[in-house]
Amino acid sequence: AFPDFVRLVEVGARDGLQNEANPVSTAIKLELIDRLGDAGVSYIEAASFVSPKWVPQMGDAREVMTGIQRRSGVTYAALTPNLKGLESALECGVKEVAVFGAASESFTQKNINCSIAESLERFAPVIELAQKSGIPVRGYVSTVMGCPYEGEIAPAKVAEVSKTLFEMGCYEISLGDTVGVGTPLKAKRMLEAVSQHIPMSKLAAHFHDTYGQALANLYAVLEEGIAVIDSSVAGLGGCPYAKGAAGNVASEDVIYLLNGLGIKSGINLEKLAATGDWITRSINRPNRSKVGIAMMAG
Ligand code: HMG
Ligand code: MG
């Protein structure tokens, strides 16, 4: 059955901007984060404490996380792949972090320079220190419906990595179709495998829209009871280690779909569409939200 309420995890400031070829100023990132909060988004992934040599665009994570005008009721989260990242995040007063693994060996190697097993070993002390510091940890699993290097990924492998991260202490597992190759039936089968081990209420859908299937895939998993959706305003983004992968599903499109289904989100679609229009103009990018384009034209 469909959920009554969906929590939107807005990843535009992180996933949306991490792949931008031209530098985006800290000031623009901070204004984006502020506008998203004003539109009613309650969970904003704002930065990434990764190596600036690997992802230069996230090199101002400290400035971003300390510069946010915090709103009550809004969670501002950051990615922390290792202890070094978590320690920096803690210094900046970050209140929630995420580790990111994958169901594909090759993708894990390209993305974080280690095997799946090594990645889980690295995450253990990160999760432990975060928990000691009272910081909830979200866990990402990438390539859940296919890998840019290996092709098909078995749902059982997705379930295995997800279950391990969940048992290690991640409070929620976000299932990433990193390359955006999934289709609805595949999404359901993958979710079926994972939800045998983890309650549906602890799972999130993080779908990229490379092949234009993300909304259809979301509809399929909403029907199964998924109630947390990751998305990016104006459909910004792409993964630096998944060549050719497009941005996340656009937040405006997701909210329009939810509104049509009578599912609440607490988000003001007009303000969200205006934010998508503003950020794409600011960084000189096409708006990839069909809803955003239609609303701004009308
Ligand atoms: P490594 O080279 O194996 O790490 O990289 P290392 O520990 O050997 O360190 C190498 C250098 O990086 C050292 O500097 C460290 O200090 C530095 P040097 O001595 O050479 O000057 N370093 C750091 N600097 C700042 N912050 C840190 C940090 N850690 C090490 N936290 C590492 C391993 C994970 C760091 C690297 O591979 C990396 O940063 N990768 C970036 C991966 C990334 O950001 N990918 C995109 C996000 S994931 C994604 O988009 C998918 C998702 O959206 C879900 C989906 O769509 O599926 C989440
Ligand atoms: Mg992503």
Side-chain angles (χ1 to χ4, degrees), residues 115-137:
S115 68
I116 295 177
E118 284 163 349
S119 75
L120 297 169
E121 274 168 38
R122 275 189 203 171
F123 296 153
V126 175
I127 296 170
E128 203 177 307
L129 175 60
Q131 286 181 335
K132 261 192 223 148
S133 316
I135 307 287
V137 185

Side-chain angles (χ1 to χ4, degrees), residues 14-15 18 48-55 79 81-82 84-85 100 111-113 122 140-143 176-178 206 208 239-241:
R14 194 278 303 172
D15 210 342
Q18 69 183 8
S48 190
F49 289 90
V50 294
S51 163
K53 283 186 195 144
W54 287 61
V55 186
L79 298 191
N82 53 20
K84 187 179 166 82
F100 49 103
N111 194 40
I112 50 176
N113 203 26
R122 275 189 203 171
Y140 278 103
V141 178
S142 283
T143 63
D177 182 9
T178 318
H206 178 109
H208 285 257
C239 178
Y241 301 104

Side-chain angles (χ1 to χ4, degrees), residues 16 38 133 164 177 268 286:
D38 183 52
S133 316
T164 306
D177 182 9
N268 179 321

Side-chain angles (χ1 to χ4, degrees), residues 3-283:
D4 299 322
F5 184 91
V6 161
R7 179 161 62 87
L8 192 87
V9 170
E10 169 61 51
V11 298
R14 194 278 303 172
D15 210 342
L17 297 181
Q18 69 183 8
N19 205 31
E20 270 296 314
N22 304 318
V24 176
S25 71
T26 307
I28 286 187
K29 292 178 184 178
L30 289 172
E31 182 167 350
L32 173 61
I33 291 161
D34 195 56
R35 283 177 184 250
L36 291 167
D38 183 52
V41 178
S42 67
Y43 192 111
I44 301 174
E45 199 172 75
S48 190
F49 289 90
V50 294
S51 163
K53 283 186 195 144
W54 287 61
V55 186
Q57 201 58 258
M58 294 288 112
D60 61 349
R62 275 175 189 275
E63 291 76 11
V64 170
M65 292 312 302
T66 52
I68 295 170
Q69 294 271 355
R70 288 170 185 274
R71 289 169 191 266
S72 66
V74 180
T75 301
Y76 301 94
L79 298 191
T80 55
N82 53 20
L83 269 178
K84 187 179 166 82
L86 177 62
E87 281 157 6
S88 306
L90 290 174
E91 282 166 25
C92 298
V94 173
K95 299 281 193 302
E96 174 154 343
V97 298
V99 294
F100 49 103
S104 145
E105 282 293 349
S106 328
F107 183 80
T108 307
Q109 203 62 246
K110 300 263 191 208
N111 194 40
I112 50 176
N113 203 26
C114 59
S115 68
I116 295 177
E118 284 163 349
S119 75
L120 297 169
E121 274 168 38
R122 275 189 203 171
F123 296 153
V126 175
I127 296 170
E128 203 177 307
L129 175 60
Q131 286 181 335
K132 261 192 223 148
S133 316
I135 307 287
V137 185
R138 199 169 190 245
Y140 278 103
V141 178
S142 283
T143 63
V144 301
M145 289 198 267
C147 168
Y149 312 103
E150 290 179 19
E152 292 291 321
I153 295 292
K157 186 69 193 175
V158 179
E160 181 195 314
V161 178
S162 302
K163 179 173 181 271
T164 306
L165 280 175
F166 188 64
E167 286 174 351
M168 285 168 70
C170 292
Y171 76 91
E172 180 172 285
I173 302 298
S174 177
L175 300 163
D177 182 9
T178 318
V179 240
V181 289
T183 46
L185 198 54
K186 202 175 206 178
K188 280 196 181 186
R189 295 216 169 114
M190 181 275 298
L191 186 60
E192 220 165 76
V194 178
S195 63
Q196 277 172 21
H197 305 281
I198 304 175
M200 200 63 84
S201 62
K202 305 290 182 189
L203 296 171
H206 178 109
F207 296 163
H208 285 257
D209 199 32
T210 318
Y211 285 77
Q213 308 291 302
L215 268 189
N217 296 342
L218 283 177
Y219 185 85
V221 299
L222 278 167
E223 231 175 356
E224 302 297 312
I226 279 282
V228 183
I229 294 176
D230 300 2
S231 61
S232 172
V233 70
L236 293 175
C239 178
Y241 301 104
K243 207 163 183 282
N248 297 86
V249 66
S251 305
E252 301 90 316
D253 298 8
V254 172
I255 298 304
Y256 185 85
L257 174 71
L258 295 177
N259 288 351
L261 289 168
I263 301 173
K264 293 190 171 55
S265 68
I267 291 173
N268 179 321
L269 183 54
E270 280 71 29
K271 285 187 175 179
L272 192 62
T275 301
D277 182 61
W278 168 81
I279 185 66
T280 48
R281 286 174 195 276
S282 301
I283 66 171

